Amino acid sequence: MLGKIEHLGIAVKDLDKANETYTKLLGRTPYKQEEVASEHVMTSFFMSGENKIELLAATHEDSAISKYIAKRGEGIHHVAFAVENIYEELERLKKEGFTILNAEPKKGADNKLIAFVHPKDSNGVLVELCQEITE
């Protein structure tokens, strides 16, 4: 089953400007910045209490983030949930009728295996599953 909200993903045009904005807003600097080359995205992570905020900026015009911003503008891109076993959770969700966007989980930012559920099946919200990589 889905666990706690792991993070909120926010699509941004300019990561440096967004980092400045969220540093002022949250009163702290990002704890990590990381490129996920396979997704053509640069990420920046902030803590807000026990919660995480992930800023995502495209590094290529063909990236999913670039396309998202062109269509919808900057803003909340996804809600990520922690899972203990991403493979079992993907199978459970498939059986429940959800459309899974990834044939297999892939390595994402912040040492996670990730997979996405299509927003058409979750009231317009892109849902990300995240499992900590322990190996």
Side-chain angles (χ1 to χ4, degrees), residues 1-6 79-94 96 98 100 115-117 121-122 125-131:
M1 295 199 347
L2 298 183
K4 71 173 186 165
I5 292 177
E6 211 287 328
V79 177
F81 292 91
V83 297
E84 289 189 25
N85 186 316
I86 197 166
Y87 296 96
E88 287 178 6
E89 194 57 27
L90 288 172
E91 282 306 310
R92 183 187 76 79
L93 291 172
K94 284 180 197 174
E96 292 288 349
F98 290 91
I100 306 302
F116 290 90
V117 175
D121 297 333
S122 49
V125 176
L126 180 63
V127 172
E128 179 181 13
L129 308 179
C130 295
Q131 178 184 322

Side-chain angles (χ1 to χ4, degrees), residues 52-118:
K52 287 194 268 186
I53 307 268
E54 177 188 31
L55 304 180
L56 303 117
T59 59
H60 192 275
E61 64 187 29
D62 287 338
S63 76
I65 294 301
S66 182
K67 292 174 185 176
Y68 178 90
I69 289 173
K71 188 174 181 179
R72 295 184 180 90
E74 294 180 290
I76 293 179
H77 177 259
H78 65 269
V79 177
F81 292 91
V83 297
E84 289 189 25
N85 186 316
I86 197 166
Y87 296 96
E88 287 178 6
E89 194 57 27
L90 288 172
E91 282 306 310
R92 183 187 76 79
L93 291 172
K94 284 180 197 174
K95 288 178 185 173
E96 292 288 349
F98 290 91
T99 304
I100 306 302
L101 295 175
N102 311 93
E104 289 289 322
K106 56 189 171 182
K107 181 161 180 1
D110 206 26
N111 197 42
K112 302 284 189 288
L113 278 179
I114 63 168
F116 290 90
V117 175
H118 199 290

Side-chain angles (χ1 to χ4, degrees), residues 5 11 19 25-26 28-29 41-43 49 51 72-73 77 82 98 103 112 114 123-124 133:
I5 292 177
N19 278 334
L25 180 68
L26 300 171
R28 64 192 65 177
T29 58
V41 67
M42 181 64 77
T43 65
N51 304 300
R72 295 184 180 90
H77 177 259
F98 290 91
K112 302 284 189 288
I114 63 168
N123 302 94
I133 298 172

